[in-house]
């Protein structure tokens, strides 16, 4: 029952990423309509405006993520999730109430503000789930993002424009209602000194009594993590100089200056996130219909995108299990190598046409599945668990902000790059980045499966100062 309640809580929180997936895949279903003479808007979109349709959400996410990072430590994880879920309601209300191009573009920007769900969901889920299932549950947020994309493709293919808008609005409203049922994160409550409320929250997610041994042990564990020393990489000599030093409240900058392990963790996380995004699947997600129409003209673009989304969702189910069963590091390394091979095969097929056209979507589907096992899930679990609670909200905000910037850049440069060098060679570039990801992770990425945040910090310290993490369990 304890795990069941955590799974149900995760599903409720992940409605945030599902509604975001619906919105972010929406351009794939509507872009052709907006540029046609049969447009549902008051006029046909210009080429510049059509480009903004695919990238404005990323710009909105760039603006919304710092706000989410600030609110996470002010309002808490639950209420921040509700605020950004309400933004999704506002977005669809704007689209449903106007046919003007300008209003649709403004709504897409607002939807991007809600894109900070990729910050809120991993932090929230990672703090109420026990360590044995934490990785799997955090990765479920990516699975639900894929479910949202699948719903968007299906609605775009089988519903009218307005019916799709109203259905998406209903999903966003449901997300707000479901979030209100949950308890706040126990870690956030303890950080504010609310021990009784934290015990009740743990009891809620563990399906236990608030004074039970399990709850008291969890309280002790969270307190240990909250009180972990910022300088996990302090040398023995440094510790002897001031063994009774009192902990001071440090600013974010002071924390970075003091903590070598945090700086190293930040470096590894940012590189992983950058290379994962530039492996290229986000381009296929946003431009799915035009891409399938261009490469396989004899195939229904709607069918191609629906199968693509189904593959992503189905791959996400074993990926959520594998991330805790096999570990983060091997999964990302081998999946990145597999993605690189898929990109080379797909690129040569598009570039050289050595086989029939139907091979192109097959290789894209394989690429999607393999990507989901590695770069599509591991970095999002990794950044949610490697930083200590004192700075988690702010550092994760910086990571997600950087991810959205990379997301925006790859979407902006894709069409000009594909027009300049061809779609096939673009996949060669993706392959190079995939192989680089595997090499980087082999050398710099530690395995974090089943470890608490303070134990993980030790893995980022120099080996000569590192103690065996088993002594901390």
């Amino acid at each position: 029952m304890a795990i069941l309640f955590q799974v149900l809580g995760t599903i409720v929180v992940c409605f945030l990423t599902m509604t975001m997936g619906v919105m972010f895949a929406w351009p794939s279903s509507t872009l052709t309509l907006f540029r046609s003479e049969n447009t549902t808007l008051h006029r046909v979109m210009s080429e510049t405006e059509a480009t903004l349709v695919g990238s404005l959400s990323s710009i909105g996410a760039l603006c919304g993520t710092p706000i989410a990072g600030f609110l996470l430590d002010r309002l808490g994880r639950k209420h921040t999730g509700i605020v950004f879920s309400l933004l999704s309601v506002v977005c669809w209300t704007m689209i449903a109430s106007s046919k003007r191009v300008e209003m649709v573009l403004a709504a897409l920007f607002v939807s991007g503000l809600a894109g900070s769900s990729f910050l809120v969901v991993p932090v929230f889920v990672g703090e109420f789930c026990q360590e044995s299932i934490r990785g799997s549950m955090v990765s479920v947020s990516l699975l639900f993002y894929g479910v949202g994309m699948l719903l968007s493709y299906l609605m775009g293919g089988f519903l009218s424009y307005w019916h799709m808008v109203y259905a998406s609005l209903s999903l966003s409203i449901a997300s707000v209602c479901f979030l209100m049922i949950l308890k706040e994160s126990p870690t956030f409550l303890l950080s504010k000194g609310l021990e009784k409320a934290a015990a009740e929250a743990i009891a809620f997610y563990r399906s236990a009594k608030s004074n039970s041994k399990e709850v008291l042990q969890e309280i002790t564990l969270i307190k240990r993590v909250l009180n972990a020393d910022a300088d996990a990489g302090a040398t023995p000599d440094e510790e002897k100089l001031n063994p009774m030093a009192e902990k001071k409240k440090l600013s974010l900058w002071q924390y970075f200056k003091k903590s070598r392990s945090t700086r190293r963790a930040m470096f590894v996380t940012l590189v992983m996130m950058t290379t994962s995004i530039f492996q290229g699947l986000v381009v296929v997600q946003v431009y799915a219909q035009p891409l399938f129409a261009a490469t396989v003209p004899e195939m229904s673009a709607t069918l191609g995108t629906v199968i693509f989304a189904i593959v992503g969702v189905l791959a996400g189910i074993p990926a959520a299990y594998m991330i805790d069963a096999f570990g983060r590091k091997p999964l990302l390394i081998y999946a990145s190598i597999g993605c690189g091979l898929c990109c080379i095969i797909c690129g040569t097929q598009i570039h050289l046409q050595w086989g029939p056209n139907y091979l192109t979507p097959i290789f894209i589907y394989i690429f999607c599945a393999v990507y989901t096992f590695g770069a599509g899930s591991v970095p999002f679990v990794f950044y949610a668990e490697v930083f200590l609670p004192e700075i988690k909200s702010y550092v994760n905000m910086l990571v997600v902000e950087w991810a959205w910037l990379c997301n925006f850049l790859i979407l902006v440069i894709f069409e000009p790059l594909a027009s300049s060098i061809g779609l096939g060679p673009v996949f060669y570039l993706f392959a190079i980045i995939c192989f680089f990801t595997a090499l980087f992770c082999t050398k710099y990425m530690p395995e974090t499966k089943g470890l608490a945040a303070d134990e993980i910090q030790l893995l980022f310290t120099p080996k000569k100062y590192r103690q065996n993490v088993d002594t901390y369990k």
Side-chain angles (χ1 to χ4, degrees), residues 258-278:
K258 184 181 180 185
S259 177
R260 285 172 286 194
S261 56
T262 298
R263 293 195 301 271
R264 186 177 176 91
M266 185 72 169
F267 166 73
V268 173
T269 304
L270 287 176
V271 174
M272 281 175 54
M273 189 61 71
T274 305
T275 56
S276 295
I277 291 170
F278 277 87

Side-chain angles (χ1 to χ4, degrees), residues 53-64:
V53 167
S55 56
L56 264 176
S57 296
S58 298
I59 299 174
L62 282 169
C63 299

